[in-house]
Amino acid sequence: MNVARKSGTRKEIRETPSKMFYNILFLLLVSYRATQALENGLARTPPMGWMHWERYRCITDCKNYPNECISENLFKRTTDLLVSEGYAAAGYEYVIIDDCWLEKSRDNVTNKLVEDRYRFPSGLNHLADYIHNSGLKFGLYQDYGTHTCAGYPGVINHMALDAQTFAEWDVDYVKLDGCYADTATMDAGYPEFGRLLNKTGRPMIYSCSWPVYQEYEGKIPDYEALKQHCNLWRNYDDIDDSFESVAKIMDYFSKNQDRIQPHGGPGHWNDPDMLILGNYGLSYDQSKLQMAVWAILAAPLIMSNDLATVRPEIKAILQNRDVIAVNQDPLGIQGRRILIQKNIEVWARPIMPRNAAGYVFY
Ligand code: GLA
């Protein structure tokens, strides 16, 4: 039975048994498809936050580098700075631990992942609480293969257990890298981990490195599948602290825009990697360029820098409300390079019309 509205009156429409059968079948197919996809309702605009990798890499020596090592202390300090320096108010939300947070082996009784006991002495639940109590969200790195890129234990063969552990640790964002893995199994394995994350009942943004490892091997990633199963994905090489690296990524995204650009959108974003503004490699103008192009690309705005030492003029770029508004535009259409002539490039992106005060017209 179906109920329709006609000129403000309710009218009952009786269905024949066969029509009902097809309707039920349709609903079953729709819900089957929904359980096959991620459908977590997250990342309707590109995620914003901070991640340690580009700036701090895999520094684990806290004796000699107490302020730089990957530790509870680094993430607490960064959380405090995100709030006190105004980044949180500008929209930067996720505090993400990248590689090198684990012990070198799993717990030998439970098989669970274990955080490095020396560098994270209070445990990840404590850190998650700290981040959450500051009004921010907690992200964590893992790897689909046998090991993470830096050689710590990966999720393969323990996917259900690890998804559950992530939920128990109150994780809000998972970056799943793809080192030490067979790329041929990724088309099935990455969606499987996404389903297991979903099954925990805890909403977690799912960032996949699945396509970049396939691209390395000359395979064309299945972007339709990526859109269904991941909230964002890395397409290309790691960013370094140099303009050359930013330019290389821009080049890749523009040369391949016909096959990449259409797939970005609300809930599923292409990821050209971290914002490196505030480090050593970019001049003031180059910093503006990275911020502008990442806004046009509808890229996740995940900084990797030392928030205690970012110069005021660079902080102003990172917190520029107008540029952030372009990045976070609700239409979620990724921009493109529309002209290249000699050394001049023009990049553009359609956004929702706004009034003079900057409010979006819905
Ligand atoms: C890969 C990823 C980087 C970072 C490192 C960590 O290279 O692409 O973003 O996560 O691994 O080892």
Side-chain angles (χ1 to χ4, degrees):
M1 190 172 75
N2 205 349
V3 180
R5 271 183 189 279
K6 200 180 177 195
S7 322
T9 57
R10 290 185 82 182
K11 183 186 168 205
E12 288 192 355
I13 301 168
R14 297 209 177 276
E15 287 176 347
T16 59
S18 74
K19 192 165 173 210
M20 234 161 99
F21 170 79
Y22 283 113
N23 277 347
I24 290 167
L25 184 66
F26 174 72
L27 279 173
L28 285 176
L29 286 175
V30 167
S31 51
Y32 172 75
R33 200 179 146 78
T35 57
Q36 292 303 297
L38 186 64
E39 303 285 358
N40 61 9
L42 301 173
R44 304 308 297 168
T45 60
M48 295 175 65
W50 185 94
M51 180 154 71
H52 85 249
W53 186 254
E54 199 291 317
R55 174 65 187 233
Y56 295 99
R57 304 291 171 172
C58 194
I59 302 175
T60 53
D61 178 358
C62 291
K63 285 204 181 78
N64 291 314
Y65 304 98
N67 288 326
E68 287 86 22
C69 69
I70 310 314
S71 64
E72 182 177 310
N73 189 282
L74 172 66
F75 295 98
K76 285 186 173 174
R77 274 188 287 128
T78 302
T79 301
D80 293 348
L81 287 164
L82 281 165
V83 176
S84 64
E85 294 294 313
Y87 293 96
Y92 295 91
E93 193 181 14
Y94 290 88
V95 182
I96 306 162
I97 306 180
D98 204 280
D99 205 349
C100 304
W101 58 272
L102 281 157
E103 286 282 337
K104 284 278 170 148
S105 44
R106 290 173 177 269
D107 183 287
N108 51 20
V109 178
T110 61
N111 258 337
K112 279 190 173 185
L113 295 166
V114 185
E115 66 276 34
D116 185 284
R117 293 185 183 90
Y118 174 71
R119 291 180 285 117
F120 293 88
S122 319
L124 290 192
N125 272 120
H126 166 85
L127 184 57
D129 283 350
Y130 191 92
I131 294 169
H132 289 145
N133 289 340
S134 302
L136 300 177
K137 294 197 165 130
F138 176 40
L140 197 55
Y141 165 102
Q142 243 299 2
D143 189 286
Y144 168 68
T146 57
H147 294 89
T148 71
C149 295
Y152 295 83
V155 302
I156 211 130
N157 302 326
H158 299 93
M159 293 212 283
L161 176 64
D162 291 354
Q164 192 51 42
T165 308
F166 277 33
E168 284 165 14
W169 279 334
D170 298 330
V171 170
D172 306 295
Y173 178 120
V174 176
K175 169 177 174 180
L176 194 69
D177 208 345
C179 272
Y180 300 106
D182 177 359
T183 56
T185 68
M186 288 181 176
D187 286 354
Y190 267 91
E192 175 62 11
F193 195 68
R195 276 190 290 274
L196 290 165
L197 288 176
N198 242 8
K199 220 173 129 193
T200 66
R202 183 173 178 84
M204 291 183 253
I205 286 189
Y206 186 30
S207 162
C208 301
S209 299
W210 168 18
V212 64
Y213 287 89
Q214 295 187 328
E215 295 257 0
Y216 285 150
E217 292 186 357
K219 294 180 186 149
I220 299 290
D222 180 352
Y223 280 99
E224 286 309 317
L226 276 160
K227 277 154 75 172
Q228 271 186 43
H229 298 290
C230 303
N231 294 118
L232 61 153
W233 50 81
R234 282 280 308 283
N235 310 68
Y236 186 58
D237 276 355
D238 290 2
I239 198 159
D240 287 329
D241 189 15
S242 69
F243 182 65
E244 195 193 4
S245 169
V246 171
K248 227 171 77 182
I249 292 171
M250 285 171 57
D251 221 44
Y252 178 85
F253 270 74
S254 46
K255 281 191 180 136
N256 294 286
Q257 59 192 5
D258 286 347
R259 65 187 182 87
I260 292 176
Q261 181 266 348
H263 304 297
H268 44 89
W269 308 99
N270 290 295
D271 177 10
D273 213 2
M274 293 159 268
L275 290 173
I276 56 160
L277 293 68
N279 293 314
Y280 308 103
L282 300 188
S283 69
Y284 176 65
D285 289 325
Q286 290 165 347
S287 300
K288 286 207 272 190
L289 178 83
Q290 192 194 13
M291 190 72 187
V293 171
W294 263 232
I296 289 171
L297 284 175
L301 297 182
I302 311 285
M303 303 178 283
S304 191
N305 49 18
D306 174 1
L307 293 178
T309 61
V310 173
R311 294 197 311 275
E313 67 273 23
I314 304 295
K315 177 173 151 186
I317 302 172
L318 286 164
Q319 296 190 13
N320 184 307
R321 297 298 200 274
D322 294 330
V323 181
I324 291 174
V326 171
N327 174 266
Q328 296 286 300
D329 183 73
L331 283 180
I333 299 171
Q334 183 175 324
R336 298 167 67 98
R337 183 171 72 184
I338 54 169
L339 184 75
I340 176 164
Q341 215 162 57
K342 298 198 173 136
N343 283 331
I344 310 279
E345 297 187 16
V346 180
W347 292 61
R349 168 179 182 184
I351 55 170
M352 195 81 119
R354 277 148 220 269
N355 68 16
Y359 293 109
V360 163
F361 292 120
Y362 282 100

